[in-house]
Amino acid sequence: MTNRTLTSLGFADTPAKHPLTYPGRPITHPTLLTTGELWDLTPTPGDLGTWPVLTSPGGQPKGPRTKEPKPEEPKPEEPKPKEPKPEEPLDAVLTRLGHPPTPHRHPVIAVGSNASPAQLHHKLSRPGHPAAVPMVPVEVHGIAVGCSAHIGRYGYVASAPYTAPEARTPLVISWLDDEQLAAVDATEYPNYRRVLLSGEQYPMLMPSGERLPAAYLYVGERGVLMSPDGTERPLPGGGDQSALLTRLLAGSPRLRELLGPDPRSWVTRAGTDPAVRREGTRIFQEEGWTLPQPELLHHPHHGPGGAVGPPGHDALSTPE
């Protein structure tokens, strides 16, 4: 056991399991999420795949260790698994672990819980096949974070992007392989549309100082929420979920009747009943709180239902 596990580093809360923790804790420095651990990446000039993964001489991530009992001698017939060498380049580590290297991955901007390694681990890992995802904080120009004008499948009100020409927003970009991208698509559609943003129109500055030419972004199909009292347009996203739901409940007797009286009752009712989610989403619109984002939706649409996308994506199911 190392000290680099999600739990030991304070990333235990998964919004899909604990809705009021949405959006979860995001990473704040370049990281490789792998086998339920976070391994540090060091930004260097050049492609992401050349950035070194920091590990200790034994192949484990650097950091203080706790005293552990002496392990039993491995049986001769059980070969030790291959482990990354100290400061091995990212692409070499991914290849050694049996995952696609960065040239075969897609940069995807997260504005909500996809910036949380715990949420990505939950979405992408399966028994015997843990996710391996490079995650990098990036400054994105022209995009800000609001609240999607719908109630998500787990009962919370998720984040969604909106255009803000003067914004310089710290966001997280994850490099997903084809299988991972399809899995995330399935959790986002039909409430979000994956579009391709140009780095010329929306500059994306890496911590190495380089700029990305383009990246994917999930845009809310229903736009973003304005504040119930009209003081904020759009309503800021990515903050405390309980405070957000309390504010929305206070602004609408219809929402209080459907979902109240408090945030816990909201996520309980909405998380267990699709009809309640649909009705709550309809109330957002009828209260006049929604602000469409046609400029973002105008960008090239990729993924399910889109004109462009990796083979097989159009065949994905689109759960509510």
Side-chain angles (χ1 to χ4, degrees):
M1 178 70 72
T2 75
N3 73 329
R4 308 305 298 171
T5 64
L6 293 174
T7 298
S8 66
L9 293 174
F11 292 91
D13 288 335
T14 303
K17 298 178 180 179
H18 306 286
L20 292 181
T21 68
Y22 183 91
R25 181 184 172 193
I27 61 107
T28 56
H29 62 274
T31 297
L32 173 63
L33 166 66
T34 182
T35 63
E37 298 182 349
L38 298 179
W39 297 7
D40 291 342
L41 292 173
T42 300
T44 56
D47 293 338
L48 174 65
T50 67
W51 293 11
V53 179
L54 301 185
T55 58
S56 67
Q60 300 294 346
K62 287 183 177 178
R65 297 170 178 262
T66 57
K67 187 175 181 181
E68 299 177 353
K70 184 177 180 181
E72 295 181 1
E73 291 293 329
K75 298 178 181 179
E77 65 273 18
E78 296 179 354
K80 294 181 179 180
K82 294 182 179 179
E83 296 178 329
K85 299 176 182 178
E87 300 194 6
E88 194 172 2
L90 173 60
D91 277 346
V93 172
L94 290 169
T95 300
R96 186 185 294 269
L97 295 175
H99 300 285
T102 55
H104 299 284
R105 292 173 176 265
H106 313 274
V108 182
I109 304 170
V111 298
S113 65
N114 288 339
S116 161
Q119 186 85 325
L120 272 189
H121 180 73
H122 172 79
K123 285 186 175 185
L124 301 179
S125 296
R126 62 180 188 271
H129 192 77
V133 182
M135 305 178 70
V136 180
V138 175
E139 182 183 83
V140 181
H141 295 196
I143 297 293
V145 179
C147 302
S148 181
H150 85 285
I151 300 175
R153 74 187 69 188
Y154 300 115
Y156 49 65
V157 175
S159 299
Y162 65 92
T163 55
E166 303 304 318
R168 304 291 184 267
T169 307
L171 297 172
V172 173
I173 293 185
S174 296
W175 271 258
L176 306 179
D177 63 33
D178 287 350
E179 182 180 348
Q180 293 168 344
L181 187 62
V184 174
D185 275 351
T187 68
E188 303 295 333
Y189 284 85
N191 294 306
Y192 293 86
R193 181 186 303 182
R194 175 160 54 86
V195 304
L196 186 65
L197 293 189
S198 164
E200 291 186 5
Q201 185 174 359
Y202 299 94
M204 308 167 201
L205 185 63
M206 298 273 279
S208 60
E210 297 183 77
R211 293 180 181 270
L212 289 178
Y216 288 127
L217 176 71
Y218 289 102
V219 179
E221 289 277 11
R222 296 174 177 83
V224 293
L225 287 175
M226 296 182 288
S227 60
D229 57 11
T231 58
E232 293 178 283
R233 173 189 170 100
L235 188 64
D240 181 271
Q241 182 72 191
S242 291
L244 171 62
L245 300 186
T246 297
R247 187 172 181 180
L248 296 176
L249 287 168
S252 172
R254 294 175 63 192
L255 282 179
R256 290 196 298 275
E257 181 179 357
L258 178 70
L259 295 161
D262 55 38
R264 188 161 298 280
S265 67
W266 176 310
V267 296
T268 299
R269 295 179 190 179
T272 56
D273 191 339
V276 169
R277 297 195 290 274
R278 289 192 293 270
E279 179 63 19
T281 299
R282 185 178 300 111
I283 290 173
F284 288 164
Q285 184 173 11
E286 292 173 354
E287 291 282 6
W289 295 351
T290 62
L291 183 65
Q293 290 296 300
E295 183 176 350
L296 285 178
L297 290 173
H298 180 71
H299 288 280
H301 176 196
H302 293 238
V308 185
H313 277 209
D314 289 348
L316 285 175
S317 60
T318 54
E320 191 269 342

